[in-house]
Every structure is written in structure tokens, then in C-alpha cells.
């Protein structure tokens, strides 16, 4: 499939889609009649470039291109994937689909609508079978969830194609089994928002207090598990059954007003808007976006470390990005890491924290261990390498967003001994070196022992191949020695 995505509508959601596709190597064409569309999308792209690469420990592919087109026809022609992100008015969407179908006969069309039924969207199409709903969440370039909804005339094969495409750009596709207004997430979100508006209307709390009630409590749980699993866990050993027994009767109490909504008078809208402005203080939209994105990167990376919730999707995408091809040339230094330096790896001086150099070199060592066969399966059988000595030279500054590579040279590899020399660079610029001496250890006795014959053979192959390489600059250097 040619990786060309057409984005019709360049607002917050369309811009987010453009960033998600571009940073995952797709070429993108955008149409939006707003004369400020290019500036607005450039701002979203700037945010995405700043934050998205820091989610993974593998560098994203080379960026795709972005082209701003004057017509829908120019945008949609030959595109394999077409995202419709225009205003939530059915007549506008129908007009857009007609223009797309006039020039594109095969591309999959995905509406970003947050609640319109796909069957209604398909009503006037010549080929309704290729339209689906792909409903994302803001910011699209960071949040992985996308709800996939089929209309009555949708070809199920297109849902499967969409699922594969979304997964390839790091999304978590959730297929909605029933076509229903508002789909799943927005129905749940709207229930909470409706209640919040009533609490504001009745003077029970301010906007800031309501946000605090979520952000400091249940919101932290929702980042890793939803309402059902949260309540199941709250029931203790009795689980959800205990929760329903204890609190089920409360559902009949008049605690909430979910079937009603306060009248959105001008005065009420102004009151809510003023409170939200006051809550933001001197922080503008870009400031709030940066704070939001930094927090999301931290939460998502934490979830990734545990392979939990949205972190599992991120971990799968990282595995997709990683190139695990066998290393055929044992006579050249081995590429053991290629990653983007994330935001949280920098310190008060604005460059990479000392501990992160060791982190990066440790990851490179782990990757080399995998290459010679000392992988998770081998370690679970009772053997591994332990680091005995480390020496790091800090040669140049490293900043957030830098794409760094680490190449590894085997200085010694025989028996239970492994001596590695890592070179970290950004392009031609050498940033740091790390010298590491490791011993193979029995995890049962915790004492040095010989590795398996297969691992020793693989290590010797690299050691012999690298023996002809020049001695690395800085090898064996002690602290304070002349440079």
C-alpha cells in the first residue's frame, strides 16, 4: 500500500491526524478552506515532534511529507487512506464524500465524527461499503484510542484494513460491536460532563474544584483501568458482585441528573467560561498543551514499562518500529540502539541527565545480549550477564528530541567474560562512550560461570570479527587521565 493519507479538515482533530501519520512515515495531503489552516497545523506538528518521539525507546521512521491542497479533489486523489474531519453537520459531510468519490475509487474513507451514525454518513454515497467511523481522542498524536464503527453498508474487510493501518501508526483500535449514537467513550464522557454542568449550575462547586475531584483521584486510576475494572477492584475479594451488593441500591438514589441538562443560557455559559479562564491563569493554549503532553508522555511511558493499558499498545508499536533483523556483518560495530531522547531525560541544564547515559548504554548492552542469544528465554533458564565495571565519557551535550545511535564493539569475548565499548552519536557528532565489562553468571548460585556453547560461539564470532577494528579512542581510560 502506498502510504498517502488525505486529511479533509485541518482543525484540532485533523491536525492531530496529520501529525500522527506524518511522524509515522506517511505522506499527508491536507485540505481546509481556513486561510490559517497551515499555520494551525504547523503548530500541532511542532507539538507532536516535541512529544511523540519520546514515547518510545526506538526512533520513529523518517517523517513523511505534508502538502496543503486547494481542493478536496487534489487532496483525495490516489490516497490510500482518507480522513474526514470536517464540522459535525451531515450535509457538509455528504458534500465532502461526493467530492472524494468523484476522484478516488478505492481509498478507505474514515470519518472522525464523535457521534453521527455511520449509516447516516453513508446514505448518499455511491460506494458506501468503504466508509467507516474512526473516532480518535485529542491529542490524536499521543492518545492511542480510536473507535471503529461500521455502518449497515460497510464492508467488514474495510474495518480489518483500518484496524491494521491504525495499529501500524501506534493506535489502539476499539471495534464497536453495535452502531450507536456517541459510540462508547463519548457516551461515558458526556455523562460525567452533564453532571459537572449541573454541579456548576447549582453552585455546588467551581470548575477547578470539579477538575480536582477527577485529576487527583479517579483520573489517576482511569489512566490504567476503566470504570468496570476499577469498581471490580474496589470490591476487594468479592469483586464487582460485592460492589453491586453494597452500592447497587444507591443507583436508584437521586444523586445525579443524567437524564437532564441545565439550560445553556448566555449567563451560564459566560460563568463556566470565566471560571475556566481563571483556572488557566496566565497559561496560554500552547503552554497548557505542553504541560498536558509532558504529563501524558510520563504516564504513557510508565504504563509502557509495565505493559499495561495504553502502555501495552505503545509497547507493541515500539516492537513494530524496532528492526530486529539478524546482524550478518560480524566485522563491523553493531548498531544496538537508535532512539529519540525523550523530554524527561533532560535536567535543569537542558541536556541529558547523567543517569540517562548509563540508561542508554545499558539498553544497548541488553540489545547486544539479545543478538548473541542471551534473551528473555535464555535468562529465564538460569543464566545471564552481570555488569562488573563501567566507565562513561561525556563528550558533548545531548538535548531532548535528538535521535541518537549507539554502535557497539566487542573488545573481549571469551568464556564467561564480555568486554564492550559503546559509542553514542548524533549523526557524525560523537556524544559519549561507554566501556562495560560483564561476567556471565548463574542466576541460581549468583556466581560466575560459562555461558551456553551457543552464546559463547556467537560472542566469539563478534570478538574475532572486531579484533581487526581500530582501538576505540578512550578505551581503558581512567578518570582524570589526559585527553
Amino acid at each position: 500500500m502506498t502510504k498517502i493519507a488525505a486529511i479533509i479538515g485541518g482543525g484540532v482533530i485533523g491536525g492531530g491526524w496529520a501529525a500522527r501519520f506524518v511522524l509515522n512515515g506517511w505522506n499527508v495531503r491536507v485540505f481546509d478552506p481556513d486561510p490559517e489552516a497551515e499555520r494551525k497545523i504547523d503548530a500541532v506538528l511542532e507539538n507532536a515532534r516535541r512529544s511523540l518521539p519520546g514515547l518510545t525507546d526506538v526512533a520513529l521512521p523518517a517523517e513523511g511529507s505534508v502538502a496543503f491542497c486547494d481542493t478536496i479533489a487534489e487532496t483525495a486523489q490516489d490516497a490510500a487512506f482518507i480522513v474526514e474531519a470536517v464540522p459535525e453537520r451531515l450535509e457538509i459531510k455528504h458534500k465532502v464524500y461526493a467530492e472524494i468519490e468523484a476522484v478516488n475509487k478505492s481509498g478507505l474513507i474514515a470519518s472522525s465524527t464523535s457521534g453521527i451514525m455511520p449509516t447516516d454518513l453513508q446514505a448518499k454515497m455511491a460506494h458506501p461499503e468503504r466508509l467507516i467511523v474512526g473516532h480518535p481522542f485529542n491529542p490524536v498524536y499521543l492518545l492511542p484510542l480510536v473507535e471503529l464503527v461500521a455502518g449497515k453498508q460497510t464492508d467488514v474487510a474495510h474495518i480489518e484494513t483500518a484496524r491494521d493501518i491504525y495499529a501500524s501508526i501506534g493506535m489502539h483500535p476499539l471495534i464497536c460491536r453495535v452502531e450507536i449514537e456517541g459510540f462508547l467513550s463519548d457516551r461515558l464522557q458526556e455523562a460525567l460532563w452533564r453532571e459537572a454542568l449541573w454541579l456548576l449550575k447549582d453552585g455546588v462547586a467551581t470548575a477547578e474544584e470539579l477538575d480536582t475531584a477527577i485529576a487527583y483521584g479517579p483520573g489517576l486510576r482511569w489512566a490504567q483501568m476503566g470504570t468496570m475494572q476499577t469498581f471490580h477492584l474496589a470490591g476487594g475479594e468479592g469483586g464487582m458482585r460485592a460492589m453491586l451488593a453494597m452500592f447497587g441500591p444507591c443507583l436508584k438514589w437521586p444523586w445525579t441528573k443524567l437524564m437532564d441538562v441545565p439550560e445553556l443560557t448566555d449567563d451560564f455559559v459566560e460563568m463556566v467560561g470565566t471560571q475556566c479562564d481563571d483556572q488557566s491563569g496566565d497559561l496560554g493554549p500552547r503552554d497548557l498543551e505542553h504541560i498536558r503532553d509532558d504529563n501524558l508522555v510520563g504516564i504513557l511511558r510508565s504504563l509502557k514499562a509495565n505493559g499495561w493499558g495504553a502502555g501495552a499498545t505503545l509497547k507493541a508499536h515500539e516492537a513494530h518500529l524496532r528492526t530486529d533483523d539478524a546482524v550478518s556483518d560480524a566485522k563491523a560495530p553493531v548498531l544496538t540502539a537508535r532512539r529519540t531522547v525523550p523530554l524527561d531525560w533532560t535536567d535543569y541544564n537542558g541536556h541529558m541527565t547523567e543517569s540517562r547515559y548509563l540508561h542508554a548504554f545499558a539498553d544497548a548492552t541488553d540489545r547486544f545480549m539479545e543478538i548473541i542469544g542471551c534473551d528473555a528465554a535464555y535468562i529465564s533458564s538460569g543464566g545471564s550477564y552481570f555488569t562488573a565495571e563501567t566507565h562513561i565519557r561525556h563528550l558533548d551535550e545531548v538535548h531532548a528530541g535528538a535521535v541518537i545511535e549507539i554502535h557497539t564493539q566487542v573488545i573481549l569475548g571469551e568464556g564467561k567474560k564480555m568486554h564492550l565499548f559503546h559509542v553514542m552519536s548524533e549523526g557524525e557528532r560523537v556524544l559519549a562512550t561507554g566501556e562495560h565489562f560483564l561476567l556471565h553468571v548463574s542466576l541460581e548460585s549468583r556466581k560466575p560461570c560459562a555461558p551456553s556453547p551457543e552464546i559463547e560461539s556467537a560472542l566469539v564470532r563478534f570478538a574475532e570479527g572486531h579484533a581487526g577494528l581500530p582501538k576505540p579512542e578512550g578505551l581503558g581510560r581512567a578518570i582524570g587521565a589526559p585527553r
Side-chain angles (χ1 to χ4, degrees):
M1 176 188 296
T2 303
K3 290 187 175 182
I4 298 176
I7 313 293
I8 313 298
V12 171
I13 297 300
W17 275 126
R20 172 72 79 162
F21 276 102
V22 165
L23 267 65
N24 277 281
W26 284 61
N27 294 329
V28 169
R29 302 186 199 128
V30 180
F31 170 78
D32 193 301
D34 180 359
E36 293 290 303
E38 185 170 351
R39 178 189 62 78
K40 293 176 181 177
I41 288 181
D42 283 346
V44 176
L45 278 167
E46 184 179 347
N47 281 353
R49 290 187 183 106
R50 175 182 175 274
S51 56
L52 177 62
L55 283 180
T56 75
D57 295 329
V58 180
L60 293 170
E63 276 193 26
S65 62
V66 185
F68 293 89
C69 302
D70 295 328
T71 65
I72 291 176
E74 182 186 355
T75 310
Q77 190 169 18
D78 299 328
F81 199 80
I82 304 163
V83 174
E84 173 268 294
V86 303
E88 295 285 69
R89 289 170 53 189
L90 200 54
E91 69 275 14
I92 294 178
K93 293 180 185 289
H94 284 164
K95 182 177 181 297
V96 166
Y97 301 150
E99 293 189 52
I100 291 171
E101 288 194 298
V103 296
N104 188 305
K105 307 299 182 183
S106 60
L108 198 155
I109 304 171
S111 174
S112 294
T113 178
S114 58
I116 299 176
M117 302 276 269
T119 294
D120 294 334
L121 296 174
Q122 295 171 329
K124 296 184 178 182
M125 293 183 68
H127 297 283
E129 68 278 357
R130 62 179 172 136
L131 183 134
I132 67 165
V133 163
H135 173 229
F137 296 82
N138 186 45
V140 180
Y141 54 81
L142 286 181
L143 296 184
L145 182 62
V146 56
E147 294 177 314
L148 304 189
V149 192
K152 290 180 180 178
Q153 300 183 75
T154 301
D155 184 338
V156 177
H158 290 314
I159 288 286
E160 294 301 318
T161 299
R163 176 162 60 181
D164 291 343
I165 290 173
Y166 285 128
S168 75
I169 59 172
M171 304 295 286
H172 181 84
L174 174 63
I175 297 178
C176 300
R177 60 184 68 229
V178 175
E179 184 183 15
I180 185 173
E181 294 90 343
F183 320 132
L184 301 180
S185 289
D186 275 1
R187 291 176 76 96
L188 296 171
Q189 288 186 103
E190 186 180 303
L192 183 61
W193 188 38
R194 190 189 306 267
E195 184 62 23
L197 290 174
W198 270 116
L199 292 170
L200 283 167
K201 181 71 172 179
D202 293 343
V204 173
T206 66
E208 183 173 5
E209 289 164 352
L210 292 175
D211 280 351
T212 297
I214 297 299
Y216 287 75
L220 295 173
R221 299 188 303 216
W222 291 339
Q224 56 179 313
M225 55 184 67
T227 300
M228 303 307 292
Q229 192 173 49
T230 295
F231 283 169
H232 174 70
L233 191 60
E237 294 182 359
M240 182 61 81
R241 293 176 182 83
M243 279 295 291
L244 289 172
M246 286 186 290
F247 296 103
C250 302
L251 298 176
K252 296 182 180 180
W253 297 354
W255 278 7
T256 66
K257 299 180 180 181
L258 293 182
M259 301 308 295
D260 199 1
V261 65
E263 183 181 357
L264 300 179
T265 64
D266 291 345
D267 287 344
F268 179 52
V269 170
E270 180 60 25
M271 182 196 81
V272 176
T274 298
Q275 288 193 17
C276 290
D277 287 341
D278 291 344
Q279 185 178 352
S280 300
D282 294 332
L283 297 173
R286 295 293 89 77
D287 300 319
L288 291 170
E289 287 170 354
H290 286 179
I291 291 168
R292 175 201 65 191
D293 291 356
D294 290 356
N295 291 335
L296 283 172
V297 168
I299 291 169
L300 286 165
R301 284 183 64 82
S302 177
L303 291 172
K304 177 171 72 78
N306 292 316
W308 194 260
T313 296
L314 185 55
K315 201 165 191 173
H317 187 224
E318 187 171 287
H320 171 74
L321 293 171
R322 191 184 300 277
T323 54
D324 284 332
D325 297 333
V327 178
S328 57
D329 185 2
K331 295 184 178 181
V334 180
L335 177 64
T336 48
R338 185 174 188 274
R339 61 166 305 145
T340 302
V341 176
L343 299 169
D344 60 350
W345 276 31
T346 56
D347 60 16
Y348 43 82
N349 292 319
H351 57 226
M352 196 160 80
T353 308
E354 288 181 25
S355 62
R356 298 302 186 177
Y357 287 85
L358 179 57
H359 184 149
F361 286 136
D363 285 348
T365 297
D366 286 345
R367 175 65 185 129
F368 184 77
M369 286 168 54
E370 290 177 353
I371 290 171
I372 64 172
C374 187
D375 53 16
Y378 178 80
I379 293 170
S380 67
S381 72
S384 186
Y385 283 92
F386 283 10
T387 303
E389 292 186 37
T390 297
H391 181 81
I392 296 175
R393 295 189 306 150
H394 305 270
L395 303 176
D396 207 341
E397 291 191 18
V398 188
H399 300 100
V403 176
I404 59 173
E405 291 186 347
I406 297 176
H407 287 83
T408 300
Q409 182 174 338
V410 179
I411 306 302
L412 173 68
E414 61 183 22
K416 58 193 175 186
K417 299 176 181 178
M418 182 162 67
H419 185 177
L420 304 178
F421 193 88
H422 301 299
V423 177
M424 179 191 298
S425 60
E426 181 185 16
E428 298 298 319
R429 189 165 62 98
V430 177
L431 306 172
T433 64
E435 187 173 351
H436 303 260
F437 183 78
L438 301 95
L439 290 171
H440 187 274
V441 172
S442 164
L443 296 179
E444 182 178 352
S445 68
R446 318 302 283 189
K447 294 182 180 179
C449 68
S452 72
E454 295 78 14
I455 288 178
E456 183 173 11
S457 174
L459 179 59
V460 168
R461 173 172 167 260
F462 282 103
E464 291 177 347
H466 291 183
L469 295 174
K471 177 182 175 181
E473 182 181 350
L475 178 68
R477 186 181 185 278
I479 292 177
R483 287 182 178 267

